[in-house]
Amino acid sequence: MAHELAAKGKTVCVIESGGFEETPEHEALNAVEASGSLNDPAIRQARQDWHSPQMRFWSAEGQRYGVRNRALGGSTVAWAGKVAPFADIDFASRAWVPGSGWPIGRADLAPYLTRAADHLALGPLLNDAAFWAERGMDRPEPVAAMTAFDSHFWQFARSRRVVTDVTRMGDDFRQEDLPGVTVLTNATVARLFAAEGRVTGLECLSSLGGGQRAFVRAQRIVLASGAIENARVLLQSGFDRPGTATRTGLPAIGRYLMDHPTVRVGTVTGEGCAAAARLFGFFPLRQGYRISMYAHGLALRPGTQEQHSLPNMAAFGSLELSPQDPIAACGRLARFKSRAVWSDLGIVMRNAGVIVSAVGRKLLESPRVPDRLKQAIADAAVWINADFVAQDYLAKGGSRKVDALHIELIAEQVADLNNRVTLSKVRDALGLQRANVRWELGETVRAALLDGARLLIDDLARAGISGLEPTAAVRDGDTAALVARDMAHSAGTTRMGRDPRDSVVDADCQVHGVAGLFVAGASVFPTIGHANPTLMILAMAIRLADHIVATPPPAAGTGEGLFFTHEIDTSAEVWLVDQPELDAADERKEHVS
């Protein structure tokens, strides 16, 4: 949004709760309280196993729900770069999906999806079977044999600066000098102020402690802090109570929390592993001189969803890489520290290509190699063997030997007003009430996951995939034994709608009854589909930026009853609240100036 608004001549101040990098102190501010099944040891362990490998300080004990990164760039600090647009059916009102139906449609977002794809350096937005035609291929026989599922493709946002990595928005943002954009780091927003039906300002606390606080006058504020923090700030500000935002308040704040519940369907080993890895493999697509990489999975057909009264869902593969790492073996031999020389020599000889690619990775990360040459080499590698490149990224230059392929099923969660974010009595280091999260699947979603898993297993059999061993819960049809983890795709707590009684923002993402106060992010999604949400988040944010540019700020009122001290003034027209908090005085002066 800062990019888009600055390009249109707007002055912008971004308030960031973290710093330029994550720290344990910032991570402590992400801690949430949780109730219900989120305290189940099995679920907590599943979350720890899935999320922690990408994180520096995150733990399932502290963030008992969700994955938040309190630093400039937010979740792109640690994400895998995986994106896809929502399908047409995700915007539709479906009789079998309670709460479904957006006030806007896929067509309304089409131009913004294209602009969002450009921000993420993506290729053409081909996420269904049309991809095969674009590549000049027929649909593969295994997919053509399926009846319930069909091809689905995800893309990966590849960094324009570091060709061996995905997009890290904070790092990219710091390399640019955007006119009219100011960034405040270590500034946590404690509450927002409104008077006479419009937003008037906000209060910040120093994320570094010490009791520093500042007040900001603002005519337009955008909350862009994720589903947990967006709801938390609005609740701390009292917008749920009668008379603050609307005469009756906004009771939906914090409600309808959704994520993508994901379960392991089973594991493929042995002779069938290679065929399964090809089915859930990676494919390149050339567009001019640019090569883009797509991951192939399987999505439930719209007709199957309606026939079986199921929410949207998709299957993807997760590789289990061998612990026999040829890079480590090579290092032991080079340092004369191998305790099993012949074994290590065998590993190295059998994986000569891995050694060569590790040298290539070092070459691509060297500052002495021109960027255009790096990009050309990386694109060539994707074109020659996209699977190898994907495995290299997962292994960070280590082993790429695949021991097994796990098949995961990711599903749309039905919006439930009882799944919600509330304020806990426990306070964080800044004296603010922590978020308390209730996130339950419910028997309907659990049964849908089992039905989807059975349909998937049948389709994989039709496709000729052998060696699949279902998990015990799937094999036995035991909904209670399903261990479903969230995918860090929190959504829905400030949902979009027309009625303030069951929604928080209108179709333009403005908070009902509060002129000049907007919300960006997945928290405004009425439903969540199955796709990773970042591309949709960006498209919605760009659409909001255009709306702000086209709409004059709300007329100023008297602001009676408001008294501001220690004000910050950057003459910003728009404030983007990105999980806020303030620096020490000297650093604050430097950033503001």
Side-chain angles (χ1 to χ4, degrees):
M1 288 193 69
H3 271 279
E4 295 287 332
L5 291 165
K8 302 289 174 51
K10 296 295 183 183
T11 54
V12 179
C13 182
V14 179
I15 303 180
E16 166 59 52
S17 179
F20 293 146
E21 294 183 356
E22 293 180 284
T23 68
E25 292 74 21
H26 290 120
E27 172 59 24
L29 296 175
N30 286 328
V32 300
E33 303 299 307
S35 60
S37 61
L38 288 172
N39 292 315
D40 183 330
I43 291 177
R44 193 171 298 179
Q45 187 61 53
R47 299 186 67 245
Q48 184 72 28
D49 293 344
W50 184 262
H51 294 306
S52 63
Q54 291 174 247
M55 307 295 153
R56 291 184 63 190
F57 305 111
W58 180 93
S59 75
E61 181 62 34
Q63 293 196 46
R64 300 185 180 189
Y65 169 83
V67 177
R68 292 176 291 153
N69 303 96
R70 203 171 282 249
L72 190 68
S75 296
T76 65
V77 168
W79 73 325
K82 191 176 180 181
V83 297
F86 280 13
D88 289 340
I89 195 171
D90 295 328
F91 298 92
S93 179
R94 292 161 281 167
W96 65 94
V97 179
S100 60
W102 289 47
I104 59 176
R106 168 75 182 257
D108 297 310
L109 286 175
Y112 305 106
L113 283 167
T114 302
R115 287 161 62 183
D118 183 61
H119 276 286
L120 294 173
L122 301 179
L125 295 179
L126 298 167
N127 62 299
D128 55 22
F131 174 87
W132 302 118
E134 188 68 21
R135 280 205 80 203
M137 297 173 56
D138 292 329
R139 187 178 305 189
E141 289 184 10
V143 179
M146 297 181 180
T147 60
F149 285 80
D150 203 349
S151 287
H152 178 80
F153 291 90
W154 293 268
Q155 284 195 66
F156 293 86
R158 291 168 56 195
S159 172
R160 288 187 172 95
R161 297 189 312 106
V162 183
V163 296
T164 57
D165 200 6
V166 298
T167 300
R168 309 290 177 194
M169 292 185 183
D171 291 343
D172 291 349
F173 192 69
R174 291 176 63 191
Q175 302 302 315
E176 303 182 53
D177 184 17
L178 296 176
V181 176
T182 299
V183 178
L184 298 178
T185 59
N186 291 303
T188 295
V189 169
R191 58 177 173 155
L192 308 170
F193 299 101
E196 301 169 359
R198 64 180 183 88
V199 72
T200 54
L202 54 85
E203 176 189 14
C204 290
L205 303 178
S206 169
S207 304
L208 305 178
Q212 288 177 285
R213 66 180 61 229
F215 293 84
V216 176
R217 290 190 188 276
Q219 288 183 307
R220 289 188 285 201
I221 294 173
V222 180
L223 280 178
S225 304
I228 294 175
E229 291 297 318
N230 284 348
R232 184 188 183 199
V233 171
L234 290 172
L235 291 171
Q236 286 170 172
S237 306
F239 286 109
D240 58 321
R241 298 193 293 268
T244 307
T246 67
R247 185 176 59 82
T248 57
L250 295 173
I253 294 176
R255 293 187 181 272
Y256 303 103
L257 174 65
M258 298 174 290
D259 208 295
H260 284 138
T262 301
V263 297
R264 181 157 294 174
V265 174
T267 301
V268 182
T269 56
E271 295 181 359
C273 191
R278 286 193 298 272
L279 178 63
F280 292 99
F282 296 80
F283 297 85
L285 184 68
R286 182 191 298 275
Q287 185 186 41
Y289 295 104
R290 178 75 171 168
I291 307 294
S292 300
M293 188 163 70
Y294 296 72
H296 182 243
L298 301 168
L300 200 61
R301 298 171 186 263
T304 308
Q305 294 177 45
E306 183 171 8
Q307 178 186 352
H308 294 273
S309 297
L310 294 175
N312 208 346
M313 56 184 72
F316 63 95
S318 62
L319 298 174
E320 184 176 311
L321 299 176
S322 172
Q324 292 185 316
D325 187 344
I327 304 301
C330 187
R332 289 191 296 270
L333 291 169
R335 295 190 300 271
F336 299 100
K337 292 186 177 181
S338 175
R339 295 181 179 180
V341 174
W342 291 110
S343 175
D344 281 350
L345 274 172
I347 293 172
V348 170
M349 294 299 291
R350 289 193 300 272
N351 295 276
V354 174
I355 307 299
V356 172
S357 76
V359 175
R361 171 182 274 267
K362 292 294 184 184
L363 180 71
L364 291 176
E365 293 172 352
S366 170
R368 297 182 180 182
V369 179
D371 289 343
R372 292 185 66 180
L373 178 58
K374 290 180 183 178
Q375 188 64 60
I377 294 171
D379 281 353
V382 171
W383 184 254
I384 294 168
N385 193 334
D387 281 319
F388 188 85
V389 172
Q391 291 169 26
D392 176 85
Y393 175 74
L394 289 172
K396 295 294 185 265
S399 171
R400 295 150 190 87
K401 182 176 181 296
V402 178
D403 277 353
L405 181 84
H406 304 297
I407 296 177
E408 318 283 349
L409 188 65
I410 183 171
E412 174 181 25
Q413 183 176 17
V414 174
D416 179 349
L417 63 85
N418 294 311
N419 283 333
R420 61 186 301 199
V421 173
T422 57
L423 295 179
S424 167
K425 294 181 180 179
V426 179
R427 296 182 179 268
D428 63 19
L430 305 183
L432 301 175
Q433 290 174 272
R434 283 183 179 177
N436 187 84
V437 178
R438 181 190 187 276
W439 185 68
E440 301 291 344
L441 292 189
E443 190 60 29
T444 301
V445 175
R446 288 180 174 276
L449 283 165
L450 275 183
D451 288 344
R454 283 190 286 263
L455 290 169
L456 177 62
I457 290 172
D458 290 344
D459 261 1
L460 291 174
R462 293 186 186 96
I465 302 299
S466 62
L468 172 62
E469 180 61 35
T471 62
V474 171
R475 183 192 64 227
D476 299 336
D478 187 354
T479 57
L482 277 179
V483 177
R485 61 183 181 274
D486 66 274
M487 289 295 283
H489 299 163
S490 305
T493 57
T494 63
R495 73 194 319 248
M496 177 189 293
R498 298 180 178 88
D499 191 338
R501 291 174 296 182
D502 59 12
S503 64
V504 178
V505 302
D506 62 19
D508 293 319
C509 296
Q510 179 173 285
V511 173
H512 292 303
V514 188
L517 179 58
F518 302 91
V519 181
S523 67
V524 305
F525 292 1
T527 55
I528 195 174
H530 72 69
N532 300 51
T534 303
L535 180 61
M536 291 295 304
I537 291 171
L538 262 66
M540 295 283 287
I542 294 169
R543 177 177 178 268
L544 175 54
D546 279 8
H547 172 74
I548 288 174
V549 169
T551 309
T558 61
E560 292 180 4
L562 291 174
F563 178 70
F564 292 91
T565 59
H566 305 302
E567 292 187 22
I568 297 174
D569 181 14
T570 66
S571 301
E573 296 176 83
V574 183
W575 290 71
L576 302 179
V577 181
D578 193 10
Q579 292 189 337
E581 294 174 41
L582 272 192
D583 273 328
D586 292 342
E587 297 177 6
R588 185 181 72 230
K589 187 183 298 181
E590 175 188 341
H591 291 150
V592 173
S593 65

